[in-house]
Amino acid sequence: MDTNDNLHNDADGNLQNVNNTDQNPQDMPEQDMNTNPSTDVEETTVPTEETVTSEEHNQESVEVPASTVSEEESASDNEDESEDHAEDVEAQTLPDTDYNTLEMPALVTSLRELIQDFPINTIKTHADDIKKAFDSKDQEAEKEAREEFTKANPATEETPAPEFVYDNPISKEFNDLHSLYRKQRGEFQRQQRKEQEDNLEKRKNIIESIKNLIDEEENIGTTFKKFNALQQEWKDTGKIPHDAYNIVWNDYRLHTQNFYDYIDLSKELRDKDFERNLDFHNKIISRAEELGNEPDIHKALRELQELHRMWKEDAGPVAKEHRDPIWDKFSAATKVIHDKRQAYYEERDKLAEKNQTIKQNIIAEIQKITAAGAKNHKGWQDRLEEINALKELFTQTGPATKALNNHLWEQFRVVGREFNHAKNAFYKNLKKDQQANLDKKMKLIEIAEQHLESDDFNGSLPVMKRIQREWKEIGHVPRKVSDKIWKRFQAACNGFFDKKNAQKKEENAEEAANFEAKMKVYDALKEMLPQDDQNAMKADVEKHMADWAAIGRVPYSKRHIQDKFDKLLQAKLKAAGMSAVDAEMLKYQSKLSSLESGDARDFTNERFYLRKRRDEIQDEKRQLENNMQFINTKDDKNPFVVQIKKNTAALDKELDLIKEKQKQLNILERQMKKADEEESSENESSEATE
């Protein structure tokens, strides 16, 4: 057998068809590896003495187990072993994408790119993951659309709710695209099955031809050439159905061995063939040992898979003494790669467990943030930033363990929705509160605009100050009207206070003139000389009192002029021969005259002062009476008793004076009120007449 047609050295002494790592997954040979159910990458199994006997080493390396194809694939899709190769290549070449993180348009784009850019038999796992992710998001979108439709179209007693129809263009686009994928995949599988069945017939014919070589009566050279040609034809024949592979291979091996046993080859020819085959086996072993240093474990596994195929199908028998040693050497090289593969997946599993812990902690933190909530807009915005940071960390974290990865993603989506529901509920209630606040502020605006037109600044000022305080205490209003109503309220308040300040400025000028006029009256009274005719002097004093009373208010900072005038007045009245009480009452008449030309606040202040002084006198009298209880009141000459009686008499006189002043104040107030009523009645009569 000439093995140089199948394996030969290049310029560097490497195995050329072994180094070809760009093999199309559709052309990959039947596997000689078991499937690891925990991963999607197949595992090379090193045969033991129980699985392969030393007599079988010259023909095959590893049996192809039936378990490489699942029952579901065999029963429903009729997939053979090349599908396992395709899925292995898919896991190693396609990008590792967490499709759960993509939105529906991106999932449509991803599926379209897979169909366009990769062989249809290499994208099954990714296509299935995309389908699961899209269906989950589509169901959620349908649920949200149904809830919105129900809210917008509630049922009533008169009319039932209309029927909900879910119409999502993206969903229709995805389903059409996925149907196209399934159609192309089905066509590929049917075509592949037909080709495999044709190849099966070819191989059966080859076996039958090898079987018939034994019965031909030709020279050994011609027969052996035919045998080599049939072997080459066997190698050139493509895949066959997996369920027939072991049977056909065993038949081929049996009749090939029978041929070798039947024909009487010369020892020289057999030894030369064994030598070439031994060299071919050693080259396979050397390449397998080199793969032990390959850093890319997936690349090493793919090449090792091809080496096992070549060992099994391309390499011929060797001398009996070499069979066990070369097989042990090849098995040892295979075990090195297998151990590296196990270490790789153990490390990957550790990383998946770490990612699982990170994702579980993220989910728990989102639940904690949702439960804590917030009390205001800023608080919810801060919580939202925290949630977005956690979402980004979740999506950037690699996949968790395969058993929990999808479950964690679903949990992540659930807690995300719960946070959004809590946030939306807050803002829904906030809108109600803001609307109520808007109504309150609009009422304050109406009050402010009403008082803007008022000329009663003394009555309006407390109201304006009150509504300004209330405005500050009222919470937020909808943002779209916030500036508008504030400008309106501010304009009304500013207008009122501008008018008040303008009036105050006018009043200040008038009060300054009043002060100058009162100073002239004060100076005139001060310069008045004593007269022998006390009545004439009294008349002059009363004239100055009348002049003083006729002048209006003075600035607040100059109010002390009233006290100076009162003292001077009392001295002049005493000089005119009036008693202190009469002088005080006459002087008070001047006070009443000034109150008559003043405002309500002046009356209030005077009434408060008289009442306060009356209470103070009564308190002082009670204190003196209490003091009298501690001394002998029968001794009229006791200086302490004399002083108490003197003080009590003075308080009685002042109390009588205060009562008289209150009486006069009440009389003046009633007179002014009556005058106002009469004036108001006259105005009403005049208006009625008009």
Side-chain angles (χ1 to χ4, degrees):
M1 186 190 326
D2 188 1
T3 59
N4 291 333
D5 292 340
N6 304 305
L7 183 66
H8 59 274
N9 295 339
D10 60 9
D12 297 328
N14 296 322
L15 303 180
Q16 285 190 349
N17 59 347
V18 173
N19 291 335
N20 181 14
T21 60
D22 296 329
Q23 187 175 6
N24 190 316
Q26 300 180 34
D27 299 330
M28 293 183 69
E30 290 86 354
Q31 295 183 14
D32 48 9
M33 302 181 186
N34 290 324
T35 300
N36 185 348
S38 65
T39 65
D40 292 332
V41 181
E42 296 173 9
E43 171 183 328
T44 303
T45 303
V46 180
T48 62
E49 290 184 356
E50 288 81 12
T51 58
V52 181
T53 66
S54 62
E55 292 298 327
E56 294 173 324
H57 287 172
N58 65 331
Q59 292 297 326
E60 65 177 343
S61 60
V62 183
E63 289 286 334
V64 180
S67 61
T68 54
V69 179
S70 67
E71 293 182 5
E72 180 181 347
E73 292 173 326
S74 178
S76 62
D77 296 333
N78 195 27
E79 295 178 348
D80 63 4
E81 196 174 29
S82 64
E83 286 296 329
D84 296 323
H85 284 274
E87 292 180 6
D88 184 48
V89 172
E90 175 186 2
Q92 299 168 14
T93 59
L94 294 182
D96 187 11
T97 304
D98 189 355
Y99 294 107
N100 290 320
T101 62
L102 302 181
E103 298 300 328
M104 288 194 286
L107 292 172
V108 173
T109 302
S110 297
L111 181 58
R112 181 178 291 108
E113 290 176 351
L114 288 177
I115 295 174
Q116 294 174 348
D117 299 341
F118 296 91
I120 199 66
N121 66 316
T122 66
I123 63 174
K124 181 178 184 300
T125 301
H126 282 250
D128 291 344
D129 289 344
I130 291 175
K131 183 72 165 60
K132 290 178 182 177
F134 188 92
D135 288 344
S136 176
K137 288 180 169 56
D138 191 38
Q139 291 172 3
E140 183 178 350
E142 181 179 3
K143 180 180 178 182
E144 292 178 355
R146 184 183 298 276
E147 291 176 353
E148 293 179 0
F149 181 84
T150 303
K151 291 180 180 179
N153 302 275
T156 62
E157 295 181 358
E158 294 79 9
T159 58
E163 182 180 358
F164 170 74
V165 178
Y166 179 63
D167 184 14
N168 188 349
I170 297 178
S171 178
K172 184 179 184 303
E173 181 182 1
F174 179 83
N175 291 332
D176 292 343
L177 189 61
H178 193 266
S179 297
L180 175 62
Y181 157 73
R182 291 182 59 84
K183 180 180 179 182
Q184 292 181 0
R185 180 177 172 81
E187 291 175 354
F188 169 81
Q189 292 172 351
R190 286 190 293 273
Q191 181 182 357
Q192 188 181 54
R193 183 69 182 183
K194 184 178 183 304
E195 291 176 357
Q196 291 176 353
E197 290 175 350
D198 293 342
N199 293 336
L200 177 61
E201 291 301 319
K202 290 180 182 180
R203 291 203 172 190
K204 287 181 178 179
N205 293 334
I206 292 172
I207 293 172
E208 190 66 25
S209 297
I210 293 175
K211 179 179 178 182
N212 294 334
L213 285 177
I214 299 175
D215 299 329
E216 292 183 1
E217 297 181 357
E218 294 180 337
N219 63 66
I220 190 63
T222 302
T223 302
F224 200 74
K225 286 182 180 179
K226 289 182 179 181
F227 176 72
N228 283 339
L230 289 172
Q231 281 190 315
Q232 185 61 44
E233 184 179 354
W234 177 274
K235 299 171 188 175
D236 295 339
T237 303
K239 308 292 183 300
I240 65 174
H242 176 71
D243 52 4
Y245 181 81
N246 282 339
I247 297 174
V248 173
W249 170 249
N250 288 331
D251 287 346
Y252 173 74
R253 182 186 61 182
L254 173 64
H255 291 293
T256 300
Q257 187 66 44
N258 289 341
F259 176 79
Y260 277 108
D261 292 340
Y262 174 77
I263 63 176
D264 186 14
L265 293 176
S266 65
K267 187 176 185 303
E268 180 181 356
L269 180 61
R270 178 179 291 273
D271 290 345
K272 187 176 181 180
D273 193 34
F274 281 171
E275 183 179 351
R276 284 197 302 267
N277 293 340
L278 179 62
D279 181 64
F280 187 79
H281 279 90
N282 286 331
K283 288 181 179 179
I284 293 176
I285 292 171
S286 297
R287 181 55 186 164
E289 291 174 342
E290 291 176 2
L291 289 178
N293 299 321
E294 171 60 49
D296 188 345
I297 187 62
H298 296 302
K299 179 180 178 182
L301 286 170
R302 290 197 299 272
E303 290 198 28
L304 181 64
Q305 192 176 53
E306 174 64 8
L307 291 177
H308 273 272
R309 185 201 66 78
M310 295 171 65
W311 183 285
K312 183 176 182 180
E313 297 188 6
D314 296 345
V318 298
K320 188 174 182 179
E321 65 270 18
H322 295 299
R323 293 174 185 173
D324 286 340
I326 63 173
W327 173 247
D328 292 341
K329 197 172 182 180
F330 185 50
S331 297
T334 298
K335 186 175 185 303
V336 171
I337 300 174
H338 168 71
D339 291 343
K340 288 183 65 177
R341 176 190 178 280
Q342 287 297 110
Y344 168 80
Y345 283 107
E346 287 176 1
E347 186 64 27
R348 192 184 72 170
D349 291 343
K350 290 180 181 178
L351 180 59
E353 291 177 358
K354 181 179 179 181
N355 294 337
Q356 175 179 321
T357 301
I358 293 174
K359 290 188 173 184
Q360 288 173 336
N361 291 338
I362 290 173
I363 291 171
E365 185 63 21
I366 293 176
Q367 290 175 323
K368 181 178 178 181
I369 292 174
T370 302
K375 296 181 179 179
N376 50 43
H377 169 71
K378 184 180 183 304
W380 278 106
Q381 292 305 305
D382 292 342
R383 299 295 87 76
L384 183 60
E385 289 183 6
E386 295 174 8
I387 292 295
N388 289 337
L390 290 172
K391 285 183 177 180
E392 184 176 358
L393 177 60
F394 190 95
T395 55
Q396 290 178 352
T397 303
T401 57
K402 192 171 184 180
L404 289 179
N405 192 52
N406 290 337
H407 175 67
L408 288 175
W409 174 252
E410 288 301 322
Q411 277 191 310
F412 174 70
R413 296 186 62 173
V414 168
V415 297
R417 286 196 298 268
E418 290 175 351
F419 172 80
N420 288 333
H421 290 161
K423 176 174 65 68
N424 294 339
F426 167 79
Y427 282 105
K428 184 177 181 181
N429 293 330
L430 183 62
K431 288 181 179 179
K432 294 180 180 178
D433 295 340
Q434 288 182 346
Q435 184 60 44
N437 293 338
L438 176 60
D439 295 339
K440 294 177 182 178
K441 288 193 172 184
M442 289 303 298
K443 292 180 179 178
L444 297 184
I445 290 175
E446 293 176 1
I447 295 173
E449 289 176 344
Q450 290 174 359
H451 285 270
L452 175 61
E453 305 300 328
S454 174
D455 292 331
D456 182 12
F457 296 105
N458 292 330
S460 298
L461 181 60
V463 177
M464 296 299 290
K465 290 183 177 180
R466 175 180 59 80
I467 64 175
Q468 285 182 322
R469 289 194 303 271
E470 292 179 2
W471 183 279
K472 294 178 181 179
E473 294 171 357
I474 297 175
H476 294 286
V477 300
R479 185 182 297 273
K480 61 182 179 180
V481 297
S482 178
D483 290 341
K484 181 179 179 181
I485 65 171
W486 164 246
K487 290 178 180 179
R488 183 176 169 185
F489 181 72
Q490 187 181 42
C493 292
N494 290 344
F496 171 81
F497 285 104
D498 288 344
K499 287 177 62 177
K500 179 180 178 298
N501 291 336
Q503 187 200 46
K504 185 67 176 178
K505 188 175 181 180
E506 293 178 0
E507 291 177 351
N508 289 342
E510 181 181 350
E511 288 176 355
N514 292 339
F515 176 74
E516 294 297 330
K518 286 194 172 186
M519 284 301 299
K520 291 180 180 179
V521 174
Y522 177 81
D523 292 339
L525 180 62
K526 185 177 181 181
E527 294 174 358
M528 189 179 71
L529 299 174
Q531 301 177 25
D532 295 334
D533 189 350
Q534 291 184 344
N535 291 331
M537 184 177 179
K538 179 182 176 183
D540 289 341
V541 172
E542 291 178 351
K543 179 179 181 301
H544 285 90
M545 289 173 59
D547 293 341
W548 181 275
I551 301 172
R553 298 175 60 179
V554 300
Y556 184 77
S557 60
K558 306 294 185 180
R559 65 187 184 282
H560 63 277
I561 190 63
Q562 182 68 42
D563 294 334
K564 292 177 66 177
F565 181 76
D566 289 341
K567 291 180 181 179
L568 179 61
L569 184 62
Q570 188 173 5
K572 295 297 183 181
L573 289 174
K574 186 177 181 181
M578 295 186 66
S579 65
V581 175
D582 293 339
E584 180 64 28
M585 289 307 300
L586 183 61
K587 183 181 67 172
Y588 193 68
Q589 291 299 320
S590 175
K591 178 75 173 184
L592 293 176
S593 297
S594 63
L595 290 176
E596 187 175 2
S597 60
D599 53 25
R601 185 176 60 179
D602 295 330
F603 265 98
T604 302
N605 292 338
E606 181 64 19
R607 190 180 299 281
F608 174 78
Y609 167 75
L610 294 176
R611 183 170 57 251
K612 180 181 178 183
R613 183 55 188 157
R614 182 175 177 175
D615 294 339
E616 291 174 351
I617 293 172
Q618 291 175 343
D619 290 340
E620 291 178 12
K621 285 184 63 179
R622 279 193 294 270
Q623 184 63 42
L624 292 175
E625 291 174 356
N626 290 335
N627 293 339
M628 288 288 290
Q629 295 177 3
F630 296 98
I631 61 177
N632 185 6
T633 57
K634 295 180 179 180
D635 187 2
D636 294 336
K637 295 181 180 181
N638 187 326
F640 190 70
V641 174
V642 172
Q643 186 61 41
I644 290 178
K645 290 182 177 181
K646 183 178 179 181
N647 292 342
T648 302
L651 290 175
D652 288 336
K653 289 182 181 180
E654 186 177 0
L655 182 59
D656 292 339
L657 189 60
I658 292 296
K659 291 179 179 180
E660 183 63 26
K661 287 182 178 181
Q662 288 179 324
K663 180 180 178 181
Q664 295 297 325
L665 183 64
N666 291 336
I667 292 172
L668 177 60
E669 188 174 13
R670 287 195 295 269
Q671 290 175 348
M672 292 178 63
K673 184 177 181 181
K674 182 177 180 181
D676 290 340
E677 291 175 353
E678 291 176 352
E679 182 179 359
S680 175
S681 177
E682 290 177 359
N683 292 335
E684 291 176 358
S685 299
S686 177
E687 291 176 359
T689 304
E690 291 177 357

